[in-house]
Amino acid sequence: MGDSRITEVRREHAWAERLTEGVTVAVALGLSFYLLVGPALVFGTTAWHLVTDTGTTAFSRFLAPVIFLALVALPLILARVVFRSGRRKGKKRLTAAVPAVLTLLGGSVVPFAALCLIFVYAD
């Protein structure tokens, strides 16, 4: 009888941990995409103009969309790598999610800060 109560507490704890982890990651994803909207729009528009402009080389037509996709995907890939690394080390899900969330937000802030610097110091 005592084992069933312990099992029930463990299930509730696991459910609460997954919920907390999910909310943490969802909020971080929202903030990350909010921070990436500006750089993605600017670099996407620039990439579109480079691709459709006459006189551009095939290399620049290929490189512009690749840079645009890398800008958007890199923070997500880095966060996934950090999360999986934490899980391989035997950490709990929530303990592994926190560094991944910080990596995601940090990876999103860097392009946003770069875009702000470009706007401030552009001639």
Side-chain angles (χ1 to χ4, degrees):
M1 188 174 239
D3 290 333
S4 65
R5 288 182 184 173
I6 292 172
T7 305
E8 186 66 31
V9 168
R10 285 183 188 160
R11 273 193 225 142
E12 287 178 16
H13 180 69
W15 180 81
E17 186 176 315
R18 284 194 309 269
L19 178 67
T20 306
E21 174 198 3
V23 169
T24 304
V25 171
V27 168
L29 274 172
L31 286 172
S32 172
F33 284 128
Y34 179 74
L35 290 171
L36 284 174
V37 165
L41 285 175
V42 170
F43 292 125
T45 305
T46 304
W48 177 256
H49 286 297
L50 282 174
V51 168
T52 59
D53 191 23
T54 57
T56 56
T57 63
F59 179 73
S60 65
R61 288 183 182 196
F62 173 73
L63 187 63
V66 169
I67 291 172
F68 170 67
L69 288 175
L71 174 71
V72 175
L74 189 62
L76 297 171
I77 293 169
L78 289 175
R80 180 181 166 102
V81 168
V82 169
F83 180 73
R84 287 191 168 263
S85 172
R87 290 296 291 158
R88 276 195 300 269
K89 291 179 182 175
K91 295 181 181 177
K92 293 182 180 178
R93 294 180 66 87
L94 187 58
T95 309
V98 171
V101 165
L102 293 175
T103 302
L104 180 63
L105 291 176
S108 303
V109 167
V110 170
F112 183 75
L115 182 66
C116 291
L117 288 174
I118 289 170
F119 281 148
V120 167
Y121 292 110
D123 289 332

